[in-house]
């Protein structure tokens, strides 16, 4: 049987970023150093495949520090935690390792610097996302105001319109953030922002890669988890760039093959917490159904690496 021809455009960069790579390595090294079980507060990264793989090795995932025992090591996820979490771990004399992405830590430091300078902080982020909770938790309750859309800016009640600064969640859509920042600057001309955009390099690069393949494709598949902010933004970026069909899939078994039955070109990318093995799985699934030609569209090269905490580089 002759299979229908199909071109797969692989976006590059895609998949794991340096922060995710480091976080996974931290859990693996902690298991090597202290043995199982090692507790992890919240999913280390937002990907079931990754989390289940670490669970099989002896990691235990809990949502709150209260769910972890005092006598076993605990790791804080890549998304970051409020200041109260390590403070509680210290109070309980726990061994803990912070796997917060260094780019998220940079935003935490910015928030504290602004507050120390007497500025009220506005955060652009998604309500309820662990990164947003962790970043807002660097300062006392109520000291950080959250905005999710340009419309939210109009309703902000600030202490002093001449003394405010903004920070952003690292995994947002660059385009959406531009609109919100414009609204903030229009209402508060004196507002102070980061010298360089807080959207992380990996989020930006993956979004640019999707924009570059969008004109070539009839459908876009983003491999990632439903609770992964950066993966969901990639779907939105694809749709905004003209992809009539843009879908988030966790792995090959989630693909709706009926929707793709007559198409000739598909774009594939992966969120920053999705491993390349899942991309390979999706490509193999296409090869089983189509005569596939693969084209890689590279818009940037990434060679950033973050060191793991010193505690894990020292022997037990």
């Amino acid at each position: 049987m002759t299979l229908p021809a199909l071109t797969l455009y692989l976006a590059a960069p895609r998949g794991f970023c340096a922060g995710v790579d480091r976080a996974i390595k931290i859990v693996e090294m902690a298991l090597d150093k202290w043995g199982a079980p090692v507790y992890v507060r919240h999913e280390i990264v937002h990907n079931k495949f990754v989390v289940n793989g670490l669970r099989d090795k002896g990691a235990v995932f809990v949502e709150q520090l209260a769910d972890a025992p005092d006598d076993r090591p605990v790791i804080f996820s890549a998304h970051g935690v409020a200041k109260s979490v390590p403070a509680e771990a210290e109070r309980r004399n726990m061994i803990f390792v912070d796997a917060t992405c260094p780019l998220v830590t940079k935003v935490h430091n910015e928030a504290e610097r602004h507050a120390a300078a007497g500025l009220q902080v506005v955060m652009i982020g998604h309500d309820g996302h662990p990164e947003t909770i962790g970043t807002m938790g660097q300062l006392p309750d109520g000291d950080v105001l959250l905005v999710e859309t340009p419309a939210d800016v109009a309703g902000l009640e600030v202490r002093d319109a001449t003394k405010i600064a903004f920070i952003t969640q690292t995994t947002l859509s660059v385009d959406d953030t531009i609109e919100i920042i414009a609204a903030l600057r229009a209402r508060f001309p004196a507002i102070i922002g980061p010298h360089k955009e807080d959207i992380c390099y990996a989020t930006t690069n993956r979004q640019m890669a999707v924009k570059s393949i969008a004109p070539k494709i009839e459908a876009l598949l983003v491999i990632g988890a439903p609770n992964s902010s950066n993966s969901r933004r990639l779907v939105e970026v694809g749709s905004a760039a003209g992809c009539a069909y843009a879908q988030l899939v966790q792995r090959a078994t989630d693909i709706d093959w009926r929707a793709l039955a007559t198409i000739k070109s598909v774009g594939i990318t992966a969120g920053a917490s999705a491993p390349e093995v899942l991309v390979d799985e999706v490509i193999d699934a296409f090869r089983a159904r189509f005569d596939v030609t693969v084209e890689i569209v590279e818009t940037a090269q990434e060679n950033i690496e973050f060191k793991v905490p010193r505690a894990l580089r020292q022997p037990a």
Side-chain angles (χ1 to χ4, degrees):
M1 185 180 78
T2 306
L3 296 174
L6 177 78
T7 303
L8 288 182
Y9 290 92
L10 280 192
R14 64 180 176 276
F16 277 3
C17 62
V20 164
D21 208 39
R22 172 181 179 268
I24 294 166
K25 208 177 284 178
I26 284 171
V27 178
E28 291 173 338
M29 289 175 75
L31 285 163
D32 285 344
K33 180 169 181 170
W34 292 299
V38 163
Y39 284 74
V40 184
R41 186 188 178 279
H42 192 67
E43 290 185 350
I44 188 70
V45 297
H46 284 159
N47 188 278
K48 265 200 180 72
F49 183 87
V50 171
V51 167
N52 288 340
L54 292 171
R55 191 179 276 124
D56 290 344
K57 293 177 181 178
V60 178
F61 293 88
V62 295
E63 277 308 305
Q64 301 300 333
L65 199 60
D67 300 325
D70 293 353
D71 60 350
R72 292 305 302 164
V74 65
I75 295 164
F76 305 144
S77 81
H79 312 97
V81 293
K83 262 193 163 30
S84 57
V85 177
E88 173 65 8
E90 283 181 355
R91 189 191 66 75
R92 290 171 58 187
N93 290 319
M94 301 174 84
I95 295 172
F96 64 90
V97 183
D98 191 355
T100 301
C101 171
L103 298 178
V104 175
T105 300
K106 173 177 160 282
V107 180
H108 289 184
N109 294 340
E110 277 173 26
E112 291 193 275
R113 212 163 42 241
H114 291 318
L119 302 176
Q120 190 171 14
V121 179
V122 176
M123 178 166 189
I124 302 169
H126 288 303
D127 191 17
H129 188 277
E131 185 187 329
T132 301
I133 294 167
T135 301
M136 293 178 73
Q138 299 309 300
L139 298 177
D141 278 357
D143 275 18
V144 183
L145 304 174
L146 181 67
V147 293
E148 296 190 82
T149 66
D152 290 343
V153 175
L156 279 179
E157 292 181 19
V158 300
R159 291 192 298 258
D160 182 340
T162 66
K163 292 184 177 178
I164 60 171
F166 74 85
I167 55 175
T168 69
Q169 184 180 325
T170 62
T171 53
L172 298 178
S173 154
V174 180
D175 297 332
D176 288 350
T177 313
I178 287 169
E179 289 180 25
I180 299 169
I181 292 170
L184 284 168
R185 290 200 192 283
R187 187 169 169 209
F188 308 109
I191 197 166
I192 293 171
H195 297 303
K196 199 174 173 218
E197 191 58 67
D198 278 338
I199 310 275
C200 93
Y201 77 93
T203 299
T204 302
N205 288 348
R206 277 147 193 72
Q207 290 178 12
M208 291 304 293
V210 165
K211 287 179 183 178
S212 73
I213 62 171
K216 308 172 191 283
I217 59 177
E218 296 168 73
L220 173 71
L221 295 183
V222 177
I223 301 164
N227 61 339
S228 164
S229 175
N230 77 85
S231 299
R232 282 168 40 210
R233 299 297 80 76
L234 287 172
V235 176
E236 291 170 6
V237 167
S239 295
C243 291
Y245 184 90
Q247 295 293 318
L248 183 68
V249 295
Q250 295 200 67
R251 53 190 313 174
T253 47
D254 297 331
I255 297 171
D256 181 357
W257 295 106
R258 287 171 303 179
L260 304 177
T262 60
I263 60 168
K264 307 287 184 209
S265 57
V266 176
I268 294 177
T269 189
S273 45
E276 189 65 9
V277 64
L278 297 183
V279 177
D280 294 338
E281 179 186 278
V282 166
I283 294 170
D284 287 344
F286 273 100
R287 288 195 194 281
R289 294 164 174 84
F290 296 90
D291 178 12
V292 170
T293 302
V294 174
E295 285 197 28
I296 295 170
V297 181
E298 185 175 68
T299 53
Q301 290 194 325
E302 294 175 351
N303 51 14
I304 292 171
E305 195 174 328
F306 295 134
K307 283 183 179 174
V308 298
R310 190 180 289 114
L312 291 172
R313 301 198 299 269
Q314 295 165 340

